[in-house]
């Protein structure tokens, strides 16, 4: 008995699993990085800016190791740097979350902004997944979480490239999940509804209906997303609003989806309760 107990007590502490979170410096990604670190994961935060601040803030909430990498994931070199660091740290959990929005009439939005959105939301997702999936499959274990959106479920006039990029992310995640079935690697997608992050300000959408609408908390989105990731579920729409939007999208014919969803991205008046009298 004693021998068994001693052997048990002298075992080295299990090495923590390492998770990489793209876009972990802010908003939903930051909340997911915090959630993972509080569940005992070592976390590598990858973002274009603000990584040191995020690492400092995360370190205050956890005993787990948190490190950062500044990389522009809209560029192939940034993706390659992230994959190289992931290989060094033997990352087995990937949260592919970094994303931006471009809002406005398509004929007037700057082409370079639209293409940068595609480079980040679509190209970097495929590139990073392509670099890391072979190692995960070879090791027989891994988890991938892809941040899609309820915007994936319907066309979005005035926000069309973004919605299409999120539909791409959702479809890609489902296909990859199916392909990797039986390898020990799971793929999960998360569909948040409008969430309180700097996203709407960055995309200059504060005066739209969706910009002015009540929003979900990043902490709630992160908790439900990481639960789904850890359980290896295919998809989670976070919160009631997201679940309702997915259900509505399934009921509407395509032209009605465009009209319904387009309203959210059109300029909107402030809700009555917040108007100055
Ligand atoms: N907020 C919502 O309502 C909502 C709803 C559904 C889905 N989503 C999705 O959730 C994800 C996170 O968005 P969020 O709302 O949390 O917005 P956010 O607070 O603006 O976070 C975006 C993150 O992406 C990073 N990022 C942006 N451009 C990058 C680049 N070129 N290279 C590397 N990192 C880059 C940002 O880092 P830097 O600031 O350093 O560039 C930041 O960490 C996005 O994919 C978004 O589409 C958001």
């Amino acid at each position: 008995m004693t021998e068994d107990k001693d052997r048990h007590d002298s075992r080295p502490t299990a090495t923590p699993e390492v998770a990489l979170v793209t876009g972990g410096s802010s908003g939903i990604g930051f909340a997911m990085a915090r959630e993972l670190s509080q569940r005992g994961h070592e976390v590598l935060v990858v973002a274009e800016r603000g990584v040191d601040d995020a690492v400092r803030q995360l370190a205050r909430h956890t005993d787990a190791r948190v490190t950062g990498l500044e990389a522009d994931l809209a560029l192939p070199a940034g993706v390659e740097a992230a994959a190289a660091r992931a290989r060094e740290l033997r990352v087995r959990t990937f949260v592919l979350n970094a994303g931006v929005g471009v809002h406005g009439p398509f004929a007037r939005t700057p082409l370079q902004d639209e293409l940068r959105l595609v480079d980040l939301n679509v190209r970097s997702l495929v590139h990073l997944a392509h670099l890391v999936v072979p190692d995960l499959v070879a090791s027989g274990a891994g988890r991938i979480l892809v941040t899609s959106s309820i915007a994936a479920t319907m066309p979005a006039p005035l926000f069309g490239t973004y919605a299409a990029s999120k539909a791409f992310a959702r479809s890609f995640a489902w296909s990859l999940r199916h392909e990797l079935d039986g390898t020990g690697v799971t793929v999960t997608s998360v569909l948040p509804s409008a969430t309180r992050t700097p996203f709407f300000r960055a995309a200059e959408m504060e005066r739209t209906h969706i910009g002015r609408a009540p929003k979900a908390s990043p902490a709630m989105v992160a908790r439900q997303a990481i639960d789904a990731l850890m359980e290896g579920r295919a998809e989670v729409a976070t919160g009631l609003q997201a679940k309702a939007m997915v259900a509505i999208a399934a009921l509407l014919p395509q032209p009605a989806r465009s009209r319904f969803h387009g309203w959210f991205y059109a300029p909107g008046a402030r809700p009555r309760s917040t108007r100055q009298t």
Side-chain angles (χ1 to χ4, degrees):
M1 277 297 272
T2 315
E3 241 179 60
D4 277 346
K5 184 175 179 294
D6 287 350
R7 209 177 299 143
H8 177 78
D9 285 347
S10 63
R11 251 184 237 165
T13 318
T15 318
E17 280 187 48
V18 190
L20 177 154
V21 183
T22 69
S25 65
S26 166
I28 295 170
F30 179 83
M32 293 199 287
R34 186 169 55 197
E35 193 69 33
L36 283 161
S37 66
Q38 287 174 343
R39 295 182 193 209
H41 279 68
E42 177 177 333
V43 174
L44 169 64
V45 169
V46 182
E48 193 188 0
R49 297 172 293 250
V51 166
D52 290 346
D53 258 10
V55 167
R56 259 195 300 277
Q57 282 188 54
L58 287 166
R60 275 191 227 129
H61 294 276
T62 175
D63 293 333
R65 183 163 182 253
V66 184
T67 56
L69 173 70
E70 253 170 28
D72 181 354
L73 295 173
L75 300 175
V79 176
E80 278 152 19
R85 183 67 60 82
R87 201 164 299 124
E88 280 165 25
L89 296 178
R90 295 181 186 279
V91 172
R92 290 287 170 266
T93 299
F94 287 87
V95 177
L96 306 181
N97 163 80
V100 290
V102 174
H103 178 258
F106 184 72
R108 294 213 298 268
T109 54
L111 177 60
Q112 67 196 36
D113 292 358
E114 298 280 4
L115 295 180
R116 190 166 160 83
L117 181 158
V118 174
D119 284 342
L120 181 66
N121 298 14
V122 176
R123 195 178 199 277
S124 84
L125 170 64
V126 175
H127 191 176
L128 190 50
H130 204 267
L131 290 175
V132 304
V133 161
D135 284 350
L136 296 183
V137 171
S139 76
R143 301 184 188 94
I144 299 173
L145 178 66
V146 174
T147 304
S148 175
S149 167
I150 53 157
T153 63
M154 292 178 262
L158 300 178
F159 209 37
T161 314
Y162 175 81
S165 77
K166 292 294 154 179
F168 180 98
R170 185 187 190 193
S171 174
F172 176 69
W174 274 92
S175 303
L176 194 56
R177 175 183 178 81
H178 192 83
E179 269 189 54
L180 298 182
D181 190 26
T183 64
V185 182
T186 59
V187 184
T188 302
S189 39
V190 55
L191 278 56
S193 60
T195 307
R196 229 167 18 252
T197 74
F199 179 88
F200 295 96
R201 196 172 350 115
E204 299 179 8
M205 294 170 71
E206 285 160 307
R207 290 166 186 274
T208 58
H209 287 115
I210 196 162
R212 295 189 191 280
K215 302 201 173 43
S217 88
M220 179 280 287
V221 171
R223 195 168 50 250
Q224 294 195 12
I226 301 302
D227 281 348
L229 172 70
M230 291 304 154
E231 289 162 17
R233 285 174 8 222
E235 184 169 280
V236 59
T238 50
L240 278 179
Q241 205 183 349
K243 287 178 177 51
M245 289 292 278
V246 173
I248 290 168
L251 291 173
L252 294 176
Q254 191 78 327
R257 285 180 184 167
S258 294
R259 273 196 303 278
F260 169 75
H261 204 200
W263 178 86
F264 288 85
Y265 303 103
R270 249 180 296 172
R272 253 176 224 292
S273 57
T274 60
R275 275 186 209 159
Q276 309 259 318
T277 47

